[in-house]
Amino acid sequence: MSDLDVTSALPVTELELAGTEDECSYLPGQTSRMIWRLARRLPESRYEQLLERGWRRFGRVLFRPSCPTCSACQGLRISVPDFQPTRSQRRCREQLDQQQIEITIQHPTLTPEHITLYNSYHNDMHHRRGWPFREITREDYYESFIDGNFSFAREFQYRHNGKLIGLGLVDITSTCLSSIYFYHDPQWRQSGVGTWSVLQELQYARNHEMQWLYMGYFISECQSMKYKGAFRPHQLLKSFPPDNAPPDWQNPEQTRQPQQ
């Protein structure tokens, strides 16, 4: 049996574990539960199949929701060929393009500069939005963003006058991008560097004639995730199918608001 056959049993290179129910970190009063898979090996073609079915990746760990009483989490992917920026997104891009930010795309690395920037960003979000805060260690960072050394893993480094001001962890396959995580210097927050980073990923995908940019989970009631819905046109994954079932991505035309 091929370990890439999505219609067969779970590949021998993946170990699946069901998580326990816990308090949801996105919606107060809700209970969450995740399904986890530990990937010893993850070929690009297999990873694309998992992305289509709503799986996300941190290091060697793949995960997706399996919540008992809530279905608010929906996978969101942006149609790269059809994407049209809004007026505010164009303005953000024009303003930050003038800052002459240097962009480097490379395999993920780990330096003291990474750790300092990551902790600075999370400390700011702790005070701004009440995120739990614990300083990340080199070991934690390696496990979350580098472990596995998968061939498709990349980081987008953004530097201004030589200083690292933002970093995006992105998976790049032959057909799509998956935006894993982005963190930045809090001093650049008001400039819209988060929006600008997504626009850079979209431009990369368009230059390489890719179809999709996977943005992870969208929850309309969660402030930290609402920004994803502003990138259009996009599709939402209405449920999380098993490996042997086709995914149901839908265009949420009826929920879209006029562009500004």
Side-chain angles (χ1 to χ4, degrees):
M1 179 182 66
S2 169
D3 65 353
L4 297 182
D5 185 359
V6 76
T7 64
S8 302
L10 189 67
V12 295
T13 54
E14 297 169 22
L15 174 66
E16 182 170 298
L17 299 171
T20 58
E21 294 184 17
D22 201 355
E23 181 181 354
C24 180
S25 58
Y26 298 115
L27 296 177
Q30 290 290 349
T31 299
S32 69
R33 182 174 62 196
M34 307 296 289
I35 297 177
W36 311 90
R37 288 184 182 177
L38 180 64
R40 292 179 293 171
R41 185 169 67 86
L42 192 58
E44 180 180 301
S45 57
R46 171 61 176 168
Y47 185 45
E48 290 176 339
Q49 294 168 347
L50 293 170
L51 285 173
E52 284 188 317
R53 288 158 179 79
W55 290 89
R56 302 289 291 160
R57 183 186 75 84
F58 270 23
R60 289 185 180 274
V61 177
L62 300 157
F63 60 93
R64 72 179 187 186
S66 179
C67 302
T69 60
C70 179
S71 58
C73 285
Q74 296 176 291
L76 186 148
R77 66 183 185 183
I78 305 168
S79 176
V80 174
D82 301 318
F83 171 72
Q84 294 294 330
T86 64
R87 185 182 307 168
S88 61
Q89 289 166 352
R90 291 196 301 270
R91 184 165 57 247
C92 173
R93 181 175 59 195
E94 292 166 0
Q95 291 175 347
L96 280 170
D97 283 351
Q98 295 175 4
Q99 296 296 321
Q100 298 183 329
I101 297 172
E102 179 185 357
I103 304 173
T104 302
I105 301 173
Q106 62 186 28
H107 288 285
T109 55
L110 175 53
T111 69
E113 197 174 24
H114 287 66
I115 301 298
T116 298
L117 182 63
Y118 184 96
N119 284 328
S120 177
Y121 170 73
H122 277 262
N123 185 51
D124 178 69
M125 295 302 286
H126 169 67
H127 293 288
R128 187 181 304 278
R129 293 188 180 171
W131 287 14
F133 177 69
R134 177 179 67 88
E135 287 196 353
I136 198 169
T137 65
R138 288 179 59 89
E139 293 75 15
D140 292 337
Y141 192 98
Y142 181 89
E143 181 178 339
S144 293
F145 302 122
I146 298 180
D147 193 18
N149 295 311
F150 297 120
S151 61
F152 45 74
R154 298 290 187 274
E155 67 179 17
F156 284 52
Q157 286 194 10
Y158 303 105
R159 293 183 179 274
H160 185 256
N161 294 330
K163 180 183 178 182
L164 185 66
I165 63 166
L167 191 135
L169 283 306
V170 183
D171 286 338
I172 303 177
T173 75
S174 60
T175 64
C176 65
L177 270 66
S178 176
S179 187
I180 296 176
Y181 202 72
F182 177 74
Y183 56 93
H184 61 83
D185 186 332
Q187 294 183 1
W188 285 76
R189 180 179 181 274
Q190 295 299 325
S191 68
V193 67
T195 294
W196 186 76
S197 72
V198 178
L199 295 174
Q200 296 305 309
E201 294 171 17
L202 282 163
Q203 188 60 53
Y204 179 96
R206 176 167 288 179
N207 291 344
H208 291 80
E209 300 181 347
M210 297 177 178
Q211 179 63 45
W212 304 108
L213 171 58
Y214 287 89
M215 291 290 291
Y217 303 125
F218 173 71
I219 304 175
S220 59
E221 296 84 4
C222 178
Q223 184 64 33
S224 297
M225 291 189 176
K226 287 181 67 174
Y227 76 94
K228 301 177 184 181
F231 295 90
R232 304 165 181 153
H234 60 252
Q235 293 183 341
L236 296 174
L237 183 63
K238 308 307 286 188
S239 62
F240 298 104
D243 286 6
N244 59 356
D248 181 17
W249 290 91
Q250 299 182 10
N251 297 312
E253 296 287 346
Q254 68 278 8
T255 64
R256 291 180 182 167
Q257 300 297 321
Q259 295 189 7
Q260 299 180 357

